[in-house]
Amino acid sequence: MTLSLTRVAETALLACGDEPLCAYIYDLDALAKHAAALAASLPDNCELFYAVKANSDLPILQTLAPHVRGFEVASGGELDWIRRHFPDAPVIFGGPGKLDSELAAALESGVELLHVESLLELRRLAWLARSMNKQADVLLRINLALDGVPATTLTMGGRATPFGIDAGRLPECLTWLARHPEIRLHGFHFHLMSHQLDAGAHLALLRQYFRQTRQWQEQFGLTINRLNVGGGIGINYREPGRQFDWNAFSNGLAVLVESENMQDWRIRFEPGRYLTAACGYYAMQVLDIKQCFGRYFAVGRGGTHHFRTPYAQGHSHPFFIVPREHWPYPFPRPGVEQAEITVVGQLCTPKDVLAVNAPVERLRVGDLLVFSYAGAYAWHISHHDFLRHPHPRHIYLDPQEPVHAANQ
Ligand SMILES: *Cc1c(COP(=O)(O)O)cnc(C)c1O
């Protein structure tokens, strides 16, 4: 086990009490190192923002803040949250269906750039900006046909979706913008796919963004120098040993920026999942193990109402087992050895499944199952109050403190 996993395992054991354990554990030290390494590996004209929706817990944001240039928010609620806790951090605001009140709040609070999703949104923004006597700085979010770039399992573009402006409508938007100086166009925003696991394919996608942007700049005579290439770098939940090759990507990016002559552009990345997924763990203590129609099931404390990621993505989520020796009952402890086990939670629905037919050497009731890659789109996308079970504990391992201090 790595140092980080050992620390997480020790923390989970220490956190066990009278009631079976159910907890999120976040390794903030690992998060800080990961974010610092990503930021340092980018070419000078590229910068890293964090897409807050992946995990907006305050300790996560506080850990990231020194390493990212700013935060990408996708709602008035996120904007409020970031402004309250990081009044000076650069903020960019995207997402479909923004309210007038949200656009006004963005203008009021000095959001650096708004990512506009439609011509109507442009019109409403201009109308608000005029009434507030302000200028609005924007990127246009564009959906364009993908030219030979292989699609991932989650696409927001390259086909009909509600996200961004169809590239075919761009001339209409630009004609309108030319008559509305209260809006300043700085460039374009693309976020066409998530779950990207292939560094080469991601570079090919970026090359298309670069070329398309330059072509529009020339065709329409635009004075622009900013490009947001979105997030979308994936986590390989199915084969955790084979992750996105960030080194190959960042090296390739430096070459691409030069070969495509993009050195004078400010290029922005706004990943969510790839920044925070790996720092989070969801730990559940095994309440029961049973055999049914020839299959083994482990029922854990908690479930998809806390950790919806496996169900949302349709995968069997990777986990490791932390043995716990304590057994309070006067009867034998159920367990399995060299078996395949399906892990479910406490909900009364067959959809409450976290892992399917996962091979285990030994698992006993009372042991801990610790799911890795649970730091992004995990707690924050789950339906917490279904069945009114208590919420899990949230434990943040602070780099400065020994493990026992986290167990409060
Ligand atoms: C969700 C989202 C992101 C982050 O996506 P990840 O797949 O988590 O990297 C970035 N930009 C936009 C516009 C998004 O909607």
Side-chain angles (χ1 to χ4, degrees):
M1 272 208 236
T2 65
L3 191 63
S4 177
L5 291 192
T6 308
R7 231 171 111 86
V8 168
E10 282 172 16
T11 304
L13 282 173
L14 278 166
C16 289
D18 295 341
E19 285 272 41
L21 179 73
C22 180
Y24 271 99
I25 301 170
Y26 297 99
D27 186 342
L28 299 181
D29 193 26
L31 176 61
K33 288 186 175 128
H34 178 54
L38 295 193
S41 70
L42 289 174
D44 287 345
N45 64 325
C46 296
E47 46 191 30
L48 193 61
F49 274 65
Y50 172 57
V52 165
K53 75 174 187 285
N55 185 332
S56 54
D57 285 0
L58 198 52
I60 298 282
L61 299 174
Q62 284 165 334
T63 304
L64 284 173
H67 304 291
V68 297
R69 166 108 163 83
F71 297 110
E72 189 258 359
V73 300
S75 74
E78 286 184 352
L79 174 60
D80 231 35
W81 182 242
I82 293 293
R83 272 290 168 254
R84 188 151 15 119
H85 297 288
F86 307 89
D88 302 321
V91 175
I92 51 183
F93 185 13
K98 300 181 196 78
L99 306 177
D100 283 354
S101 54
E102 294 174 323
L103 293 172
L107 290 173
E108 202 62 68
S109 70
V111 157
E112 193 181 296
L113 282 172
L114 276 145
H115 304 156
V116 177
E117 297 256 346
S118 75
L119 180 55
L120 176 60
E121 193 170 274
L122 267 182
R123 287 174 181 258
R124 286 168 44 228
L125 183 62
W127 174 77
L128 280 165
R130 266 198 311 276
S131 75
M132 295 167 72
N133 208 11
K134 294 208 183 252
Q135 273 204 323
D137 296 289
V138 308
L139 302 182
L140 295 182
R141 179 175 181 182
I142 306 287
N143 181 358
L144 76 171
L146 290 172
D147 200 10
V149 178
T152 61
T153 54
L154 187 65
T155 58
M156 276 71 65
R159 61 190 177 89
T161 74
F163 305 110
I165 299 167
D166 186 312
R169 311 297 296 268
L170 181 59
E172 187 186 348
C173 292
L174 293 174
T175 307
W176 183 89
L177 274 172
R179 297 196 310 269
H180 291 83
E182 60 275 32
I183 303 233
R184 272 190 306 228
L185 177 70
H186 292 269
F188 297 104
H189 175 283
F190 301 99
H191 175 67
L192 266 59
M193 52 178 90
S194 277
H195 293 313
Q196 180 62 267
L197 294 175
D198 181 334
H202 207 55
L203 288 169
L205 186 65
L206 263 48
R207 182 169 56 228
Q208 194 185 342
Y209 295 165
F210 292 173
R211 290 186 178 176
Q212 183 64 81
T213 299
R214 301 278 302 267
Q215 192 247 313
W216 284 333
Q217 183 194 27
E218 282 161 32
Q219 181 183 350
F220 299 109
L222 304 172
T223 326
I224 55 173
N225 68 349
R226 291 190 187 213
L227 183 59
N228 186 318
V229 295
I233 293 166
I235 291 291
N236 197 341
Y237 300 102
R238 290 181 169 84
E239 294 177 84
R242 295 180 52 197
Q243 295 299 340
F244 183 87
D245 187 346
W246 181 271
N247 275 342
F249 174 71
S250 55
N251 290 335
L253 179 64
V255 174
L256 191 67
V257 164
E258 294 231 346
S259 65
E260 296 293 319
N261 230 345
M262 293 296 289
Q263 298 93 327
D264 295 336
W265 289 73
R266 260 172 88 182
I267 301 167
R268 210 162 253 186
F269 290 79
E270 48 176 26
R273 189 184 310 271
Y274 194 67
L275 269 169
T276 49
C279 78
Y281 300 83
Y282 179 61
M284 51 165 37
Q285 202 163 356
V286 178
L287 304 174
D288 204 350
I289 294 180
K290 52 193 183 181
Q291 199 180 16
C292 184
F293 284 79
R295 277 176 70 191
Y296 287 110
F297 291 87
V299 183
R301 171 86 195 264
T304 51
H305 53 310
H306 299 160
F307 181 46
R308 202 167 70 85
T309 317
Y311 183 71
Q313 301 302 333
H315 65 232
S316 176
H317 206 93
F319 64 86
F320 58 95
I321 294 168
V322 180
R324 183 164 190 260
E325 296 315 322
H326 184 67
W327 180 252
Y329 306 106
F331 38 82
R333 184 175 181 179
V336 292
E337 286 192 11
Q338 307 295 343
E340 287 194 349
I341 196 132
T342 293
V343 180
V344 303
Q346 296 174 283
L347 302 183
C348 315
T349 156
K351 298 183 176 182
D352 190 21
V353 178
L354 287 79
V356 181
N357 294 339
V360 295
E361 276 178 31
R362 183 179 72 159
L363 182 68
R364 302 161 301 175
V365 173
D367 285 341
L368 297 166
L369 298 167
V370 182
F371 291 85
S372 42
Y373 297 105
Y377 305 104
W379 172 246
H380 292 265
I381 61 158
S382 304
H383 41 291
H384 306 153
D385 292 324
F386 187 40
L387 264 76
R388 293 201 172 271
H389 284 296
H391 292 181
R393 292 177 52 188
H394 291 261
I395 301 170
Y396 302 92
L397 294 182
D398 193 302
Q400 314 308 332
E401 292 176 34
V403 163
H404 58 80
N407 183 26
Q408 288 154 6

